[in-house]
């Protein structure tokens, strides 16, 4: 007998499967999970704690499996009995599309901030992680564009910009998935933004697509801020990120 179980787990969710088997293996998982295998009376036969992809257990015949994940993620697991199995041929490599799995789990987001030009002011766009979210923002891509020749500076910030545009300009990449814990914000300020990461000079209508090596991690109470160097400026900033429970 071979049975594949899969699906999206919310953070802290436990799912119970009433399935008979003798062998359990984690096929795909982005984060560690805990698995309990029990008989029909509820007696615990085996526990896999902090199990990752390729971990397996053969506790004898079980009739109930409970799978717990502390992180939101998409999981696939194998249950077998008799001679069924999935041990892969030596030297083969399994490649897992991490971004696709996170999208299926509902933790991938994207949004674009486009602050309007204000006389005597410099535009700012911000991906803000409010205090109390208990999540890190893992930023994998930022696309910058400018309406005129100007320099855009990228830095960290410890205060939220004035306008929260999350509801209208940010969305889950899993359509219909939960709203982000992060906030997409923008504003204007007479004071320019000092560069702490880098600055890029764009031509009018120019676009800079930045995919940071090693990603950028934004903890609670911190923002990733892009500020225009010129007064009366027009710009647009697209952020792509996923949210990871702390």
């Amino acid at each position: 007998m071979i049975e594949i179980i899969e699906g999206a787990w919310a953070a802290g969710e436990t799912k119970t499967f009433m399935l008979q088997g003798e062998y359990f293996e984690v096929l795909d998982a982005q984060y560690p999970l805990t698995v309990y295998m029990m008989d029909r009376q509820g007696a615990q036969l085996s526990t896999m704690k902090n199990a990752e992809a390729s971990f397996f257990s053969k506790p004898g015949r079980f009739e109930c499996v409970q799978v717990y994940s502390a992180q939101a993620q998409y999981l696939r697991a194998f249950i077998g009995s008799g001679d069924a199995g999935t041990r892969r041929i030596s030297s083969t490599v399994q490649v897992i599309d991490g971004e696709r799995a996170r999208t299926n789990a509902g933790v991938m987001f994207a949004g674009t901030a486009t602050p309007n030009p204000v006389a005597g002011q410099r535009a700012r766009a911000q991906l803000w992680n409010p205090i109390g979210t208990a999540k890190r923002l893992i930023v994998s891509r930022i696309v910058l564009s400018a309406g005129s020749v100007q320099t855009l500076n990228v830095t960290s910030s410890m205060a939220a910009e004035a306008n929260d545009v999350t509801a209208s300009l940010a969305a889950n990449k899993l359509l219909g998935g939960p709203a982000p814990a992060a906030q997409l914000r923008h504003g204007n300020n007479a004071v320019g933004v000092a560069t702490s990461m880098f600055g890029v000079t764009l031509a009018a209508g120019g676009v800079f697509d930045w995919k940071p090596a090693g990603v950028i991690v934004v903890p609670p109470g911190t923002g990733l801020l892009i500020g225009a160097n010129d007064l009366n400026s027009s710009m647009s900033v697209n952020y792509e990120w996923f949210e990871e429970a702390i």
Side-chain angles (χ1 to χ4, degrees), residues 3-160:
E3 186 85 23
I4 303 295
I5 60 175
E6 62 183 317
W9 268 248
E13 182 178 8
T14 298
K15 292 186 179 183
T16 301
F17 302 89
M18 303 304 295
L19 294 170
Q20 295 181 355
E22 299 169 358
Y23 175 93
F24 182 94
E25 179 178 353
V26 182
L27 296 177
D28 299 336
Q30 259 55 58
Y31 305 105
L33 56 125
T34 299
V35 182
Y36 304 97
M37 283 154 273
M38 296 162 283
D39 64 18
R40 68 173 60 192
Q41 282 78 39
Q44 191 167 301
L45 303 176
S46 177
T47 302
M48 300 169 64
K49 292 187 176 180
N50 295 318
E52 300 175 358
S54 82
F55 284 37
F56 69 92
S57 177
K58 296 192 290 185
R61 191 165 188 81
F62 54 84
E63 296 180 321
C64 176
V65 177
Q66 287 187 332
V67 181
Y68 166 79
S69 176
Q71 306 274 5
Q73 61 175 317
Y74 192 85
L75 301 176
R76 294 179 69 245
F78 170 95
I79 294 175
S81 60
D83 291 331
T86 66
R87 306 315 301 161
R88 297 180 178 92
I89 299 172
S90 177
S91 81
T92 62
V93 177
Q94 181 191 30
V95 178
I96 299 173
D97 185 341
E99 182 156 329
R100 179 179 176 183
R102 293 187 182 103
T103 299
N104 286 334
V107 296
M108 291 290 300
F109 303 91
T112 302
T114 309
N116 295 321
V118 175
Q121 303 281 298
R122 295 173 172 88
R124 297 183 176 197
Q126 181 188 53
L127 182 64
W128 174 250
N129 189 2
I131 294 175
T133 61
K135 293 185 178 182
R136 300 183 187 92
L137 311 183
I138 314 299
V139 183
S140 57
R141 185 181 188 187
I142 305 172
V143 180
L144 311 173
S145 61
S148 59
V149 177
Q150 62 177 298
T151 298
L152 303 181
N153 293 327
V154 181
T155 188
S156 61
S157 58
M158 305 300 290

Side-chain angles (χ1 to χ4, degrees), residues 111 125 127 138-145 152 154-155 197-198 200 207-212 215-216 218 224-226 236-241:
L127 182 64
I138 314 299
V139 183
S140 57
R141 185 181 188 187
I142 305 172
V143 180
L144 311 173
S145 61
L152 303 181
V154 181
T155 188
M197 291 186 184
F198 74 89
V200 57
V207 176
F208 180 74
D209 189 347
W210 183 34
K211 297 179 181 178
V215 305
I216 298 173
V218 184
L224 182 57
L225 179 67
I226 289 87
S236 176
V237 180
N238 173 264
Y239 295 92
E240 296 188 21
W241 75 95

